[in-house]
């Protein structure tokens, strides 16, 4: 039924799958328009149909929560300043992507959005050399890259007075 098994794998367990299903249900109850998906895929495993909502308002749970599942929301906006303001109004800031042909707009948005990882005209590019982690309530510290080493080290300063040797 259109699920790309190479990209959309299962959720980690039934707890996560049920969390996603609950948020989908809350989206419907709060007035968002379910465009596609919205249910578990199959009877075995923890697969979730890719889900798309339209007419999503900023106060809805599907807009305010980190879902960590294949759920996308479509919201309208007037200009990029409104997008930046609305996105930065969230308590979360793990990652964001900007898709545009206008490189100046992309740069402006990537620097203005309060997210730990920003992608321009791509998404979810993770390489070991680049740090990954969120802002605000979306994480503490960084994984990957040189910044991740701080989790495994503890800086200590030792000062010792050494008597002068006259030789």
């Amino acid at each position: 039924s259109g699920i790309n098994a190479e990209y959309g794998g299962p959720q980690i367990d039934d707890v996560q799958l049920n969390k996603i299903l609950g948020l989908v249900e809350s989206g419907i109850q709060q007035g968002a328009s379910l465009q596609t998906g919205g249910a578990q895929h199959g009877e075995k495993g923890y697969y979730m149909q890719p889900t798309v909502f339209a007419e999503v308002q900023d106060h809805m749970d599907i807009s305010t929560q980190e879902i960590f599942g294949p759920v996308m929301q479509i919201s309208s906006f007037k200009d990029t300043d409104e997008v930046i303001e609305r996105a930065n109004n969230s308590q979360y800031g793990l990652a964001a992507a900007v898709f545009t042909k206008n490189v100046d707009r992309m740069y402006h948005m990537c620097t203005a959005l309060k997210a730990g990882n920003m992608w321009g005209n791509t998404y979810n590019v993770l390489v070991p050399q680049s740090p990954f982690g969120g802002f605000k309530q979306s994480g503490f510290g960084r994984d990957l890259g040189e910044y991740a080493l701080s989790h495994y080290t503890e800086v200590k300063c030792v000062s010792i007075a050494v008597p002068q040797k006259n030789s």
Side-chain angles (χ1 to χ4, degrees), residues 72 83 87 94-100 105-106 109-110 113 115-125:
M72 173 194 256
V83 171
L94 182 58
V98 176
F99 289 84
T100 180
R105 178 179 295 133
M106 182 186 312
M109 292 186 72
C110 285
L113 289 169
N117 285 78
M118 285 296 313
W119 293 288
N121 290 341
T122 189
Y123 187 73
N124 209 27
V125 176

Side-chain angles (χ1 to χ4, degrees), residues 128-144:
Q129 302 86 344
S130 298
F132 178 82
F135 288 178
K136 304 184 261 185
Q137 296 297 313
S138 289
F140 178 75
R142 295 289 179 266
D143 291 328
L144 306 174

Side-chain angles (χ1 to χ4, degrees), residues 18-77:
N18 287 326
K19 176 186 173 190
I20 296 167
L21 291 169
L23 285 164
V24 167
E25 183 59 32
S26 78
I28 295 167
Q29 295 294 323
Q30 292 175 347
S33 175
L34 180 64
Q35 299 296 299
T36 188
Q40 182 173 356
H41 176 71
E43 295 179 18
K44 292 184 180 181
Y46 306 118
Y47 293 91
M48 178 73 193
Q49 295 175 346
T51 302
V52 178
F53 280 99
E55 301 172 34
V56 177
Q57 302 298 311
D58 292 349
H59 69 277
M60 294 178 178
D61 292 343
I62 58 173
S63 183
T64 63
Q65 300 300 309
E66 288 184 312
I67 297 175
F68 292 112
V71 179
M72 173 194 256
Q73 62 166 318
I74 300 172
S75 302
S76 60
F77 58 92

